[in-house]
Amino acid sequence: MTRSADLPSARLLIVGPQGSGKGTQGVRVGEALSIPVISTGDVFRANVSAGTPLGQQVKAIIEAGDLVPDSLTSEIVRDRLTQDDASNGFLLDGYPRNLGQVGDLDAFLESRSEALDAVIELSVPREESIARLTQRALEQGRTDDTEEVIANRLAIYERETAPILDVYRERGIVDAIDGVGSLDEIADRITAALAARGITG
Ligand code: AMP
């Protein structure tokens, strides 16, 4: 999917704790705005499943719920953002995940005279995140959805990822969205927030 250059750019992030529904909502936003959704977690999982050298390198890290090194992650994202379909917009899901990655992404976008247009912050109470992740573990059997690994991932989110929102809030580009409700209700909230910034499909 490529966003037409006639439309305002839509360079977006979706940020929220694991189990906030950001993957599901991200796909909807991507479809509505004709932008590719780039999920670093999906890229890593696909490589692990396919047994590529990258997959072998990151398998144990993902299974522990730890973060893959910034240099490796940022290089993957830069390569992906350089592809044509991301030229006028993209939605990053799961990246940046810490302040180092924010710096990497800023440097990349600045080198192209580009900038982020909006950051969607999806909020859900911690108990709700845990309940949703536990449900997903039952349904999908992800190796990183065990109770211990979930706790590690949520702790990393709170310690390393939540602070990135302060940086983007200072830039005035964060839209805080209540992530509790039906999928349609949440999608409508996101659409309205983006439309208020002039970002429409
Ligand atoms: P996710 O599906 O976004 O929860 O990602 C699954 C796992 O992939 C994470 O627990 C990390 O091990 C790894 N991962 C995904 N995105 C990143 C990132 N931006 N930086 C470092 N590791 C990541």
Side-chain angles (χ1 to χ4, degrees), residues 8-99:
S9 64
R11 298 189 177 93
L12 312 176
L13 307 183
I14 189 160
V15 183
Q18 289 78 6
S20 61
K22 69 187 167 57
T24 308
Q25 293 297 335
V27 169
R28 287 189 171 214
V29 173
E31 279 168 11
L33 300 180
S34 305
I35 51 176
V37 176
I38 301 165
S39 155
T40 43
D42 283 351
V43 172
F44 289 137
R45 275 186 292 279
N47 277 275
V48 171
S49 299
T52 66
L54 171 65
Q56 289 169 19
Q57 205 178 339
V58 302
K59 186 171 190 280
I61 299 174
I62 291 177
E63 285 178 354
D66 291 329
L67 294 187
V68 174
D70 292 350
S71 54
L72 185 56
T73 308
S74 292
E75 190 186 327
I76 288 166
V77 172
R78 279 194 296 269
D79 278 354
R80 181 65 188 85
L81 292 181
T82 311
Q83 291 171 26
D84 282 350
D85 65 339
S87 60
N88 195 39
F90 52 77
L91 181 134
L92 284 170
D93 166 4
Y95 179 95
R97 202 88 152 205
N98 59 24
L99 293 171

Side-chain angles (χ1 to χ4, degrees), residues 3 10 12 15 27 46 77-79 82 113 121 131 137 139-140 144 151 156 161 166 181 187 190:
R3 183 166 174 87
L12 312 176
V15 183
V27 169
V77 172
R78 279 194 296 269
D79 278 354
T82 311
S113 304
E121 175 190 3
E139 288 167 7
Q140 300 179 5
D144 59 353
I156 291 177
T161 308
D166 295 333
I190 296 174

Side-chain angles (χ1 to χ4, degrees), residues 161-172:
T161 308
I164 77 171
L165 288 164
D166 295 333
V167 175
Y168 293 129
R169 263 191 286 270
E170 272 186 25
R171 297 184 195 171

